[in-house]
Amino acid sequence: MSINSERDIEANLQIGPTDQGMVRLFIESQGIEVPMDFDPDEADEIAEEIRAAAQLARARS
């Protein structure tokens, strides 16, 4: 599966801080839960990547 492969799967995404000072992305789909914890600096890098991808997506449409 590549980033351009479409799938008919629904998922829920929650983002928030943990009590341990991490940023958690929590993904739930079809009974599977995936918690992904990042330190704040990693979370900032991910946010920058999301912003850059959004900017490229806007330019392509």
Side-chain angles (χ1 to χ4, degrees), residues 5-36:
S5 299
E6 291 188 28
R7 298 284 191 255
D8 190 21
I9 299 172
E10 292 183 21
N12 295 312
L13 172 65
Q14 296 178 38
I15 304 170
T18 69
D19 59 359
Q20 301 294 312
M22 302 291 278
V23 175
R24 177 168 287 171
L25 301 181
F26 186 82
I27 303 163
E28 186 274 324
S29 179
Q30 300 176 348
I32 298 171
E33 297 177 345
V34 181
M36 299 169 58

Side-chain angles (χ1 to χ4, degrees), residues 23-56:
V23 175
R24 177 168 287 171
L25 301 181
F26 186 82
I27 303 163
E28 186 274 324
S29 179
Q30 300 176 348
I32 298 171
E33 297 177 345
V34 181
M36 299 169 58
D37 292 349
F38 303 93
D39 68 44
D41 290 335
E42 290 174 314
D44 284 338
E45 289 177 19
I46 292 167
E48 289 173 14
E49 290 179 31
I50 291 171
R51 283 187 204 99
Q55 187 174 20
L56 287 172

